[in-house]
Amino acid sequence: MKLSLHTQPDVPLEADVIFPDLLLEKTVSEAAALEIFHGNEKTTLGDFFTITDENNDGTVEVEGDLSKVKLLGSGMSFGRLKIIGNVGAHLGAGMSGGEIIVEGDAGDWVGREISGGRIIIKGDAGHMVGSVVRGSSIGIQGGEIIISGSVKNELGNGMRRGLIAVGGDSGDFTGVNMKAGTIVVLGQLGQRPGAGMVRGTIISTHNAELLPTFTYDTTYRPTVLKSIFIYLRKLGFSLDDEYINGNYQRWSGDSIELNKGEIFLYAE
Amino acid sequence: MVIQSTEIIDTFAEAFGMWAARVIITGETPKWAMAAARAMTGFATSVIGCRCEAGIEREIPSDETPDGRPGVSVLLFAGSAKGVGNRLVERIGQCVMTCPTTACYNGLEVEEKVIVGGKLRYFGDGYQASKLLGGQRLWRIPVMEGEFLIDESFGVQPAVGGGNFLVLGENLTVTLEAVEAAVDAMRIPGVILPFPDGVVRSGSKPGSKYKELPASTNDAYCPSLRGSAPKTDLPEEVTCVLEIVIDGLDEKAVGESMRLGIQAAVREGIVQITAGNYGGNLGQFHLHLHELMQG
């Protein structure tokens, strides 16, 4: 099924019906009649999208400038959602399976509180990627988020499991309040990475200024980083050999918490 | 059947159902991966005395291993899935975790699994940590040189153990040449030859005059007992017999390895090639030599 945006929304469009689990069971006319919200106004999918019956391979393709379209792929559990263009906030929120690929940039809250599946963003993404929602303490509990570009603040806030990889820079508070899981940032980490982390791993291929509650352990070549990097490369994440084979400083923290978290910084 | 001047006896190797695991060991250099693999497969020639059979399957180039380092693939066989799991915990814990720079990964993507890293992790004394990659949990156990990385669980599958053939030669020199050539030809994916460099001289028969022994020397094939044993299966000109035992992940791999080995062993001075069996009543796999050689 293919959806092409024909009318640009004036305010955010809450398109939480665009996910394979639901759409692949609908005919084109049934899909067009699905209710969505344009701001606080109830409307239908067909009022904004031209829907055609293409890609009968379990893929839902959505194209257009979707930067004001929110909640695409939210709650999906299987299949493939391909987005050609920029996409709005809450992409893949709460997903448990399947794959989302974005050929463009994404807004805030990509993959918030997911428990499985994979989100691949070819461009940049906003704040709170792979994060917990405000008021909760446990963020993503599984799944993979792979972003070729950069992201803004609070990447992986509260994450408990899963893997997030960022090809560019990340903003402030990367991995804040992490419970476990892995965050890889090939660019610069912003301020205060790992603040309040309990367990988990943050890896950066650049140096970073860490909080005083992190303690330097050693510099070595951890095999687990090689395994993570090679796994990411198999997923199409671009990575130089020097980062796979290099030495990393290991820092333990955050000592205001359990002190079982770790930050690896590329050393040479 | 005669190939070159060697008679292939119309008989069969009787092999048994076993369980197997494949372990991928990596290291900073090929030397250390191999050192761990050699240690892990030591004293693993026969389930009779070693509780498992294990061997090196092949060296693995770094671009095929999970961590991009040079590796070695090891196959380990035992009588049950649980037995394989127990032997893996013992041998990986004592021989691989102890070896500098190594990591250890599951090499069989099958449904049935045994917990290995999930048990060895306790060596970390609370400092161990895990990573979940592609649905597989890895354990990181801190050690004095860094950390030992190991998959939580390893796949186990039904397998075939005890494929064999015996090379009957006119003298020691030609028999050794024949089995060495055979072993070189037989190392294909999915099989191991668990005895020293693939060859065993102390072939056994089941039982013994001593009640506590489950197996004893195969007197019918001992040239020095020609005059004293109740019977001999040796032609007059034979003075030396060597055996090659094959364990494999399936019957096809064992059969193909045997075929390649027999093909490589036949030559002037090798009088016969035959196989060990127990009348067909014990093992569930019968690998007939003539059928194998006829393809």
Side-chain angles (χ1 to χ4, degrees):
Chain A
M1 187 171 280
K2 184 171 179 180
L3 293 82
S4 303
L5 189 74
H6 60 68
T7 301
Q8 189 59 229
D10 299 323
V11 292
L13 194 65
E14 303 216 355
D16 57 354
V17 297
I18 300 180
F19 64 111
D21 309 47
L22 181 64
L23 287 183
L24 293 176
E25 295 200 338
K26 303 285 183 193
T27 63
V28 167
S29 55
E30 285 171 343
L34 287 169
E35 287 184 348
I36 53 175
F37 274 90
H38 181 216
N40 60 3
E41 223 175 78
K42 200 178 272 186
T43 181
T44 66
L45 207 52
D47 289 338
F48 287 89
F49 290 92
T50 303
I51 303 173
T52 52
D53 197 8
E54 294 178 30
N55 305 321
N56 293 319
D57 59 352
T59 299
V60 172
E61 191 172 313
V62 191
E63 66 172 13
D65 178 6
L66 305 159
S67 48
K68 282 188 181 167
V69 182
K70 296 162 69 175
L71 291 162
L72 281 172
S74 63
M76 71 184 272
S77 66
F78 74 91
R80 195 160 176 258
L81 178 62
K82 188 173 182 185
I83 296 165
I84 316 284
N86 298 336
V87 64
H90 298 279
L91 174 77
M95 75 186 283
S96 58
E99 185 176 65
I100 299 176
I101 298 173
V102 179
E103 304 274 0
D105 299 334
D108 299 336
W109 299 101
V110 169
R112 65 160 166 80
E113 298 194 337
I114 64 173
S115 58
R118 182 179 299 142
I119 300 174
I120 296 173
I121 314 273
K122 300 289 177 70
D124 299 327
H127 298 289
M128 311 299 294
V129 171
S131 289
V132 64
V133 294
R134 301 295 186 207
S136 288
S137 60
I138 295 173
I140 72 171
Q141 301 213 48
E144 297 162 352
I145 302 174
I146 316 288
I147 295 170
S148 299
S150 295
V151 300
K152 296 178 181 169
N153 296 343
E154 295 188 51
L155 171 71
N157 182 339
M159 77 183 284
R160 183 162 191 179
R161 287 192 197 93
L163 173 63
I164 302 176
V166 175
D169 300 333
S170 67
D172 297 342
F173 288 102
T174 295
V176 61
N177 296 329
M178 270 179 91
K179 309 293 182 291
T182 306
I183 295 175
V184 177
V185 177
L186 296 190
Q188 292 279 356
L189 296 168
Q191 293 185 43
R192 300 176 182 85
M197 73 190 294
V198 181
R199 290 190 175 86
T201 305
I202 299 171
I203 305 159
S204 172
T205 56
H206 287 70
N207 204 355
E209 189 178 338
L210 302 184
L211 289 164
T213 46
F214 281 77
T215 310
Y216 173 74
D217 296 315
T218 187
T219 298
Y220 70 131
R221 284 200 294 272
T223 312
V224 70
L225 297 198
K226 292 174 187 282
S227 293
I228 291 168
F229 288 152
I230 285 170
Y231 177 76
L232 284 170
R233 203 180 240 183
K234 283 180 184 164
L235 297 181
F237 190 67
S238 182
L239 202 67
D240 292 341
D241 281 346
E242 61 185 299
Y243 298 137
I244 296 176
N245 299 318
N247 286 303
Y248 286 79
Q249 293 178 0
R250 184 184 193 271
W251 294 75
S252 292
D254 187 338
S255 60
I256 61 163
E257 286 290 344
L258 204 54
N259 205 29
K260 287 196 169 182
E262 59 186 353
I263 297 180
F264 287 104
L265 301 175
Y266 181 64
E268 66 181 49
Chain B
M1 175 189 283
V2 175
I3 303 178
Q4 295 185 30
S5 59
T6 303
E7 182 186 9
I8 312 298
I9 302 298
D10 186 9
T11 187
F12 60 92
E14 191 169 352
F16 297 84
M18 296 183 89
W19 284 80
R22 177 186 277 135
V23 177
I24 310 296
I25 301 169
T26 63
E28 189 70 10
T29 61
K31 167 194 159 68
W32 287 113
M34 186 56 79
R38 274 202 311 266
M40 183 183 163
T41 55
F43 188 58
T45 53
S46 168
V47 286
I48 296 172
C50 311
R51 298 198 294 176
C52 70
E53 297 177 8
I56 291 168
E57 184 185 25
R58 68 179 181 112
E59 290 186 65
I60 304 178
S62 51
D63 59 357
E64 288 180 30
T65 63
D67 59 25
R69 303 188 303 165
V72 177
S73 167
V74 164
L75 296 179
L76 183 141
F77 298 77
S80 65
K82 187 181 172 194
V84 170
N86 290 341
R87 302 294 84 77
L88 288 177
V89 170
E90 291 165 358
R91 286 169 180 266
I92 293 174
Q94 298 302 315
C95 307
V96 185
M97 184 165 70
T98 55
C99 181
T101 78
T102 58
C104 205
Y105 304 96
N106 169 39
L108 278 186
E109 291 306 326
V110 292
E111 220 166 84
E112 186 150 1
K113 306 247 190 217
V114 292
I115 303 293
V116 180
K119 292 181 177 172
L120 290 172
R121 69 186 166 115
Y122 295 107
F123 182 73
D125 200 24
Y127 295 101
Q128 69 273 22
S130 74
K131 281 281 162 242
L132 202 56
L133 271 188
Q136 174 74 347
R137 186 172 295 283
L138 288 153
W139 282 100
R140 299 164 57 197
I141 303 170
V143 290
M144 295 190 296
E145 154 259 86
E147 60 187 32
F148 175 54
L149 188 66
I150 179 171
D151 272 330
E152 172 164 89
S153 56
F154 284 67
V156 288
Q157 69 169 57
V160 178
N164 70 81
F165 62 88
L166 290 87
V167 179
L168 283 59
E170 288 178 358
N171 57 59
L172 175 66
T173 304
V174 72
T175 315
L176 279 175
E177 284 171 2
V179 293
E180 286 170 16
V183 164
D184 285 345
M186 293 172 74
R187 295 195 190 280
I188 59 172
V191 303
I192 56 146
L193 313 176
F195 283 96
D197 264 356
V199 184
V200 51
R201 67 174 181 175
S202 58
S204 60
K205 66 177 185 297
S208 162
K209 69 182 282 189
Y210 305 106
K211 282 181 190 165
E212 64 272 22
L213 288 184
S216 60
T217 192
N218 195 354
D219 45 61
Y221 284 92
C222 292
S224 59
L225 299 182
R226 214 183 235 122
S228 54
K231 76 161 191 151
T232 183
D233 287 330
L234 299 177
E236 240 175 58
E237 61 270 45
V238 170
T239 68
C240 175
V241 179
L242 292 171
E243 181 178 356
I244 298 177
V245 173
I246 307 102
D247 296 336
L249 294 180
D250 55 41
E251 187 178 4
K252 190 177 169 199
V254 173
E256 176 61 6
S257 180
M258 284 176 64
R259 186 186 71 77
L260 292 169
I262 293 169
Q263 193 69 56
V266 293
R267 64 191 60 210
E268 190 77 28
I270 298 302
V271 181
Q272 283 183 354
I273 290 182
T274 185
N277 62 62
Y278 313 96
N281 298 320
L282 293 178
Q284 62 210 89
F285 301 100
H286 298 167
L287 295 126
H288 292 266
L289 301 190
H290 283 192
E291 287 175 16
L292 290 177
M293 299 317 291
Q294 284 158 358

